[in-house]
Amino acid sequence: MRAYDIIAKKRDGHELSGDEIKFIVNGFVAGDIPDYQMAAFLMAVFIRGMSPKETSELTLCMAKSGDQIDLSAIKGIKVDKHSTGGVGDKTTIALGPMVAACGAPVAKMSGRALGFAGGTIDKLESIPGFNVALSMEQFVANVNRIGIALSGQTGNLAPADKKIYALRDVTATIDSVPLIAASIMSKKIASGADAIVLDVKTGKGSFMKSLDDAFNLASTMVAIGTEVGRKVVAVITDMSQPLGYAVGNALEVKEAIATLKGEGPGDFYELCVTLGGHMLTLAGKTADFEDGRAKIKEAVTSGRALDKLRELLEAQGANPTVADNPEMLPDAALKVPVTSDRSGFVKAIDAEEIGRASMMLGAGREKKEDAIDYSVGVVLLKKMGDRVASGEPIAVVHANDRGKAERAVDQIKSSFSISKEPVSPTPLIHGMVTAEGITR
């Protein structure tokens, strides 16, 4: 078997066998297949695509290239949640305690992030003392004892994905649905979950800009999970504007805490209730999705979800009173308002530009080695459909550098579109995909 022949076969539009896919992936990871041949293979896949069987084979091969996490010591059905990333997406920090408070084990491994969509681990590290580097023994023990653990991903989880992604990034082969799906699902499968709820974002602030592309990616990932014996549900959610109001690490943690108290933004709360309802159903804790939603809501109103956050904080080295006193979190020195230049209604908010403004302030990374300022970011005061008067504040910049703050103000102001006529916000939930089909 030769890499040349496999590349040529895919170039000509033929389906590859499982052995051929294993040969090229394993050979690349081992260093036997050079970058230039793998780059040619990735471009052939980008142009020709992959069948569902090929995509599943690629995913499994990537998942098996490193550590296979064994969660069998954790009691119950383990349900993982994955978001394709967005601006202001602090969902795990609120959703995890909600689901755990309802009796479903939450064994969540998350990552850091490059770019404007901050990673869950970075947000958790804004909590003083919070340990994101649990050993597997600690991780399993915490889930069995309090029902939840949130930790960083192991360094050897799906190394094939890490190596292939680095090559995709420099060969213009990022935007390939089979490659995106295999990248995401290989890590989820290697993480050991029994079932997976996928939050697939669509809109300007997401990776999948069009609704059709988002449904296509969701369908591919559900098919992969089903093929390898996992229960998978994908929810297509809107990211045409930031999720909630806060963008930035400590600011998002504060908003997650407010949501656990029943005081958070309506869109963010609704997303947590929706994803949580599916997680509880897949975990066998509720009869159906509507029952799951009701249980998530009750966990919030009763205070049990906030109690679970306190347990999580204490179990991972942080002060549990942060849940009651979020002012203990890092706070920026400067608070600079962004005002509207005209009256009307908010027609659109460029979520990607809001995210880039937050990153420029220091809340995100352009390079892996960049340090993060946990206190900075943006807090929106207006969302799509809201009325605004000329001179009225539409956002507040949290910064520690006056020059950066002024640049962020200009960037945020230009990201708002104001209409003279009333505007209806876009729906938060666009539909879902299961093994049974698509619902829009």
Side-chain angles (χ1 to χ4, degrees):
M1 198 175 291
R2 298 188 308 163
Y4 176 94
D5 299 320
I6 296 169
I7 295 166
K9 185 176 179 180
K10 177 45 62 180
R11 178 201 65 195
D12 294 338
H14 300 296
E15 185 174 74
L16 301 177
S17 69
D19 286 341
E20 288 170 326
I21 291 170
K22 288 174 189 173
F23 178 85
I24 202 157
V25 171
N26 293 342
F28 179 58
V29 173
D32 299 329
I33 292 175
D35 281 3
Y36 60 83
Q37 283 192 307
M38 192 61 178
F41 172 76
L42 293 172
M43 187 57 75
V45 170
F46 182 89
I47 294 169
R48 291 294 192 174
M50 277 187 151
S51 69
K53 184 178 179 182
E54 284 178 300
T55 308
S56 295
E57 291 282 2
L58 176 62
T59 305
L60 276 178
C61 188
M62 290 165 63
K64 292 176 180 177
S65 65
D67 294 341
Q68 298 280 289
I69 296 173
D70 182 4
L71 299 180
S72 60
I74 296 175
K75 307 178 188 80
I77 298 172
K78 279 72 70 178
V79 182
D80 200 355
K81 187 276 301 181
H82 176 80
S83 167
T84 56
V87 180
D89 188 359
K90 71 286 293 180
T91 309
T92 294
I93 301 166
L95 178 61
M98 291 177 186
V99 173
C102 296
V106 177
K108 184 82 177 77
M109 292 187 180
S110 297
R112 302 184 187 281
L114 283 173
F116 60 81
T120 298
I121 291 301
D122 300 311
K123 293 165 191 176
L124 290 170
E125 282 190 330
S126 73
I127 305 171
F130 195 95
N131 178 17
V132 298
L134 299 179
S135 68
M136 273 311 298
E137 292 76 18
Q138 287 175 302
F139 184 79
V140 169
N142 281 10
V143 179
N144 279 331
R145 182 168 60 86
I146 67 168
I148 184 171
L150 304 179
S151 185
Q153 292 171 344
T154 171
N156 198 41
L157 196 70
D161 173 61
K162 185 176 181 181
K163 194 170 181 182
I164 290 170
Y165 189 91
L167 198 55
R168 287 168 58 207
D169 197 33
V170 295
T171 57
T173 53
I174 287 289
D175 297 332
S176 162
V177 166
L179 295 178
I180 296 168
S183 174
I184 293 171
M185 294 301 289
S186 63
K187 293 190 287 287
K188 294 293 103 182
I189 291 165
S191 295
D194 302 310
I196 305 162
V197 174
L198 299 165
D199 177 8
V200 180
K201 304 291 189 187
T202 185
K204 188 67 186 291
S206 70
F207 196 60
M208 308 307 289
K209 306 300 184 188
S210 82
L211 193 55
D212 286 344
D213 286 346
F215 271 101
N216 187 15
L217 175 61
S219 298
T220 302
M221 290 193 291
V222 169
I224 291 170
T226 303
E227 178 76 17
V228 301
R230 303 298 202 275
K231 294 179 180 178
V232 187
V233 170
V235 183
I236 316 302
T237 68
D238 191 67
M239 188 44 70
S240 56
Q241 63 178 337
L243 180 63
Y245 291 95
V247 181
N249 298 284
L251 295 171
E252 292 187 41
V253 173
K254 291 175 184 176
E255 191 161 82
I257 291 171
T259 302
L260 288 169
K261 293 177 178 178
E263 302 166 358
D267 60 340
F268 179 52
Y269 175 71
E270 175 59 25
L271 179 64
C272 290
V273 170
T274 298
L275 298 178
H278 286 298
M279 291 176 75
L280 292 182
T281 305
L282 292 184
K285 296 297 178 182
T286 56
D288 54 39
F289 169 62
E290 290 302 327
D291 188 25
R293 282 176 58 88
K295 280 188 165 54
I296 293 290
K297 290 180 177 181
E298 192 277 332
V300 173
T301 56
S302 68
R304 291 188 295 111
L306 189 63
D307 289 342
K308 190 58 67 176
L309 176 65
R310 295 189 190 97
E311 291 182 62
L312 171 66
L313 293 171
E314 187 167 25
Q316 294 195 217
N319 188 335
T321 60
V322 168
D324 304 287
N325 303 288
E327 62 272 10
M328 296 168 65
L329 294 166
D331 188 42
L334 301 172
K335 314 291 193 304
V336 184
V338 182
T339 57
S340 176
D341 290 335
R342 54 187 297 194
S343 298
F345 299 85
V346 179
K347 180 179 179 180
I349 303 172
D350 190 325
E352 186 171 346
E353 284 304 302
I354 297 291
R356 293 193 186 284
S358 179
M359 184 177 75
M360 182 265 293
L361 290 166
R365 297 183 184 87
E366 292 190 56
K367 303 184 296 293
K368 285 185 179 180
E369 59 271 19
D370 288 349
I372 278 185
D373 185 339
Y374 297 116
S375 67
V376 301
V378 180
V379 176
L380 303 179
L381 301 177
K382 299 290 183 179
K383 298 287 289 283
M384 287 173 62
D386 288 346
R387 182 189 292 272
V388 61
S390 179
E392 184 180 5
I394 53 177
V396 178
V397 171
H398 292 240
N400 289 313
D401 180 286
R402 177 67 65 179
K404 289 181 179 179
E406 290 172 357
R407 290 195 296 276
V409 166
D410 291 338
Q411 192 165 343
I412 293 162
K413 187 174 291 192
S414 66
S415 74
F416 274 75
S417 298
I418 308 298
S419 167
K420 291 182 179 179
E421 302 300 323
V423 176
S424 297
T426 54
L428 176 67
I429 309 296
H430 291 287
M432 61 181 288
V433 179
T434 67
E436 286 70 46
I438 297 173
T439 304
R440 290 196 185 222

